[in-house]
Amino acid sequence: EVHLVESGGGLVQPGGSLTLSCAASGFIFNDYYMTWVRQAPGKGLEWVANIKQDGSAKYYVDSVKGRFTISRDNAKNSVHLQMNNLRAEDSAIYYCARNFETDYWGRGTLVTVSS
Amino acid sequence: DVVMTQSPDSLAVSLGERATINCKSSQSLLSRSNNKNYLAWFQQKPGQPPKMLILWASSRQSGVPDRFSGSGSGTDFTLTISSLQAEDVAVYYCQQYYGVPVAFGQGTRLEV
């Protein structure tokens, strides 16, 4: 069974940094793209970033380019999202999802950017 | 960038009746190389993560009831729930995964 568990969310001040992690199990991790998607409170889904199986390609939504970095550790079946220079509009539940088309999702971790 | 637009934004359907949600993409999602449409549908219930229902526009994920069906090609797609059940109350999203940035529609709230 595919299992994705996010961690690392919390309250951070504007301009601060946070690193999210996602632990994966139940599938061959290095066979799949991994993706981060976020959802602001009461809003829709926004794709944030994804990373190729071997980490050789990474893609980002324009609003986070230069501030967020996605990475993965295939030895530890984990994917990470380093978030710098956070803004209020980055406040959301951040979901980790498997594959380019996000076929399985974790339950998410809440990030709140506020002073 | 591909923009996904769903209609309607909200929909009220009686139990046992048919529900239809539309999704339009700003560019074709049909690949000439494999003749597949890079379009998925998701269901999100309150307090839960999204769940993929359909990919490749019309292929149901394992375990998804057959009252859910997807159709369409190119730029116009439809999710149909043939006979609405109480547990189908949720927000539904379409998603294009033809390329980056991957994009979701704004969501359609389905109510009884």
Side-chain angles (χ1 to χ4, degrees), chain A residues 35 37 97-105, chain B residues 42 52 95 104:
Chain A
T35 299
V37 178
R98 189 185 79 163
N99 223 344
F100 202 96
E101 63 267 30
T102 64
D103 54 359
Y104 289 93
W105 298 55
Chain B
F42 294 83
M52 179 181 272
Q95 177 213 54
F104 294 90

Side-chain angles (χ1 to χ4, degrees), chain B residues 4 21-25 27 29-30 37-39 41 57 71-79:
Chain B
M4 307 299 290
I21 298 171
N22 300 301
C23 175
K24 189 173 184 68
S25 61
Q27 300 174 26
L29 305 181
L30 177 62
N37 287 283
Y38 286 64
L39 187 284
W41 288 98
S71 62
S73 183
T75 61
D76 293 279
F77 301 90
T78 300
L79 174 69

Side-chain angles (χ1 to χ4, degrees), chain A residues 33 35 37 39 42-48 50 59-62 95 98 100-108, chain B residues 1 40 42 44 47-52 55-56 61-62 93 95 97-106 109:
Chain A
Y33 263 83
T35 299
V37 178
Q39 185 171 37
K43 301 297 184 182
L45 302 170
E46 182 182 36
W47 177 87
V48 175
N50 66 13
Y59 303 98
Y60 302 90
V61 68
D62 282 350
Y95 294 103
R98 189 185 79 163
F100 202 96
E101 63 267 30
T102 64
D103 54 359
Y104 289 93
W105 298 55
R107 297 202 63 85
Chain B
D1 297 355
F42 294 83
Q44 187 178 30
Q48 296 184 20
K51 173 188 174 183
M52 179 181 272
L55 73 164
W56 305 120
Q61 279 284 68
S62 174
Y93 296 92
Q95 177 213 54
Y97 52 97
Y98 192 89
V100 290
V102 171
F104 294 90
Q106 79 276 18
R109 184 174 302 276

